[in-house]
Amino acid sequence: MNWYLLVLKKYADFNGRARRKEYWMFFLFQVIFSCAAVIIDSLLGFNSAGGGALYLLYVLATLVPALAVGVRRLHDIGKSGWMILISLIPIIGSIWLIVLFATEGEPGTNQYGPDPKQMAVA
């Protein structure tokens, strides 16, 4: 839960770097909370083709932090944050973005800031 809160603390911070653990833990909590929102919407009868009201509110509330942590994750591997737009290419773009998010970060300081792994150890 600490990683999820860390991402929300950096709500719209597109600068710096994010470790793999920070990104993937945020992703895991996104999936869990999204499923919970869909279940609650179903129980309350708020179903629609695009999702219920609670689910849509949750997605809108976490859209900016999700983009920010994705950009910071790309910075950790030395890529520009604009690479996140590669996900707009159907199928292949999303697969390539997953590969990038799973890639080990650059050791040491890069153009986007110090290594978050070294900062966590210190």
Side-chain angles (χ1 to χ4, degrees), residues 2 6 20 25 31 49 62-63 69 71 87 96 98 101 103:
N2 188 28
L6 176 64
R20 278 187 296 187
M25 292 302 288
V31 170
T62 59
L63 179 64
V69 74
V71 167
S87 65
W96 183 244
I98 290 169
F101 286 155
T103 302

Side-chain angles (χ1 to χ4, degrees), residues 50-101:
L54 185 61
Y55 172 75
L56 291 175
L57 285 174
Y58 177 74
V59 168
L60 287 175
T62 59
L63 179 64
V64 172
L67 288 172
V69 74
V71 167
R72 289 195 315 272
R73 180 71 203 117
L74 289 169
H75 287 172
D76 191 42
I77 61 172
K79 303 286 186 198
S80 168
W82 289 104
M83 283 289 292
I84 205 155
L85 296 177
I86 201 167
S87 65
L88 297 175
I89 300 171
I91 301 170
I92 295 171
S94 297
I95 292 170
W96 183 244
L97 199 58
I98 290 169
V99 169
L100 291 176
F101 286 155

Side-chain angles (χ1 to χ4, degrees), residues 11-12 15-16 20 22 24 27-28 31 35 39 43 73 78 83 85 99-100 107 111 114 120 122:
Y11 186 84
N15 298 317
R20 278 187 296 187
E22 179 181 347
W24 289 111
F27 181 81
L28 174 66
V31 170
C35 289
I39 291 169
L43 292 174
R73 180 71 203 117
M83 283 289 292
L85 296 177
V99 169
L100 291 176
Q111 64 183 353

Side-chain angles (χ1 to χ4, degrees), residues 3 6 10 16-22 72-73 75-77 105-110 112-122:
W3 293 103
L6 176 64
K10 297 179 179 181
R17 297 167 62 175
R19 295 175 63 182
R20 278 187 296 187
K21 186 174 183 177
E22 179 181 347
R72 289 195 315 272
R73 180 71 203 117
H75 287 172
D76 191 42
I77 61 172
E106 289 184 348
T109 302
N110 69 10
Y112 300 105
D115 187 351
K117 259 188 183 174
Q118 292 175 348
M119 290 173 52
V121 173

